[in-house]
């Protein structure tokens, strides 16, 4: 098992580095300290995720590819958080709503250290987000871990502590494609319910059963079957852009292609699935079109209103999100 890194630039006085973790079976992953970003997942040199042409491109415009998006990944209605009788206002940057933490953690340069043993190669990345940044309360210390082993498991953890009452619901935003177009992949997921959303992408009416709908992946089917359906929810969001409530059985997600399989386990209560609906072969993501990749954002599901009790952190409460992606 090996670790290495290469400096490729400087941003606001901070070194930008590309980190490589390699195992003994021709699998390697590349991570950027910009945004604690998963840049590439390489099996025998073939990339399993959507990646930009070069590391320098990631900081040119926000694209979310592989980033650790926070403090909140997803939308907040009206950008508001009601706690007791008080309402706190967060930045509004998606119509009338807040999305993806404002100037989020995926746009910051993180510190890192590397370590390797015979069993694993690991990168620890840390970032300090000060009280008041983007309108969020609390000095927040974030710690992200990427760890690769010889069984082709890539473990990802987010740990954090705040010194004040705050809200926190981050997620990794990697787009998987297994070297193909995501719409052609077979998806199986342990989720019996999903959340229908409105035109603004926020939940509207609580959970709905997936059984008998385009959202039923419990037995596995091609992603294309859902995308090509006449379901009004699919048409409304031009594809999948919905939270799925996990039933607790593992693995949470199995994604299969013609040559490769990705199996995902997590301690998250939900995954938000997004099928790259807005990609249009333009800009820095010109290599990709709609449905070329699919995300599984492991997090708490977004709230329909301003009650954010599920994602409220008490002072000095330890937050930990765990994910393991296995590749074959």
């Amino acid at each position: 098992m090996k670790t290495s890194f290469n400096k490729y630039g400087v941003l606001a006085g901070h070194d930008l580095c590309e980190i490589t973790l390699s195992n003994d079976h021709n699998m390697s992953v590349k991570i950027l300290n910009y945004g604690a970003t998963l840049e590439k997942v390489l099996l025998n040199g073939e990339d399993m995720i959507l990646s930009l042409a070069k590391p320098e491109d990631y900081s040119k415009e926000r694209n979310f590819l592989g980033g650790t998006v926070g403090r909140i990944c997803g939308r907040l209605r009206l950008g508001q958080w009601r706690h007791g009788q008080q309402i706190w206002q967060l930045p509004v940057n998606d119509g009338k709503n807040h999305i993806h933490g404002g100037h989020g953690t995926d746009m910051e340069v993180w510190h890192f250290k590397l370590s390797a043993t015979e069993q694993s190669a690991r990168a620890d990345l840390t970032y300090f987000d000060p009280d008041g940044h983007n309108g969020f309360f609390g000095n927040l210390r974030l710690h992200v871990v990427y760890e690769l082993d010889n069984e082709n498991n890539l473990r990802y953890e987010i740990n954090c502590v705040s010194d004040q009452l705050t809200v926190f619901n981050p997620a990794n935003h990697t787009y998987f494609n297994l070297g193909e177009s995501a719409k052609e992949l077979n998806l199986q997921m342990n989720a019996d319910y999903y959340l229908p959303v409105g035109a603004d992408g926020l939940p509207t009416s609580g959970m709905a059963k997936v059984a008998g709908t385009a959202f039923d992946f419990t037995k596995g089917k091609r992603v294309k079957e859902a995308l090509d359906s006449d379901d009004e929810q699919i048409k409304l969001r031009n594809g999948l852009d919905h939270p799925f409530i996990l039933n607790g059985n593992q693995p949470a997600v199995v994604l299969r292609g013609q040559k490769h399989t990705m199996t995902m386990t997590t301690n998250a209560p939900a995954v938000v699935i997004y099928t790259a609906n807005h990609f249009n072969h333009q800009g820095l993501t010109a290599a990709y079109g709609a449905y070329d990749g699919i995300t599984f954002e492991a997090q708490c599901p977004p709230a329909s209103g301003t009650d954010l009790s599920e994602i409220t952190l008490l002072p000095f409460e330890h937050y930990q999100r765990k994910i393991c992606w296995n590749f074959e």
Side-chain angles (χ1 to χ4, degrees), residues 10-23:
V10 176
L11 181 66
H14 299 287
D15 290 331
L16 294 172
C17 296
E18 181 184 55
I19 298 160
T20 302
L21 309 180
S22 303
N23 71 11

Side-chain angles (χ1 to χ4, degrees), residues 175-193:
Y175 287 92
F176 298 90
N177 69 345
L178 305 184
E180 306 175 39
S181 174
K183 65 183 176 183
E184 303 298 337
L185 302 176
N186 182 282
L187 172 62
Q188 188 274 324
M189 185 164 45
N190 273 312
D192 302 312
Y193 291 87

Side-chain angles (χ1 to χ4, degrees), residues 80-102:
Q80 292 181 350
W81 167 32
R82 179 187 295 274
H83 184 72
Q85 299 301 312
Q86 191 168 1
I87 295 179
W88 283 293
Q89 183 68 51
L90 297 171
V92 172
N93 60 344
D94 182 47
K96 296 180 180 180
N97 303 313
H98 171 90
I99 192 169
H100 293 331

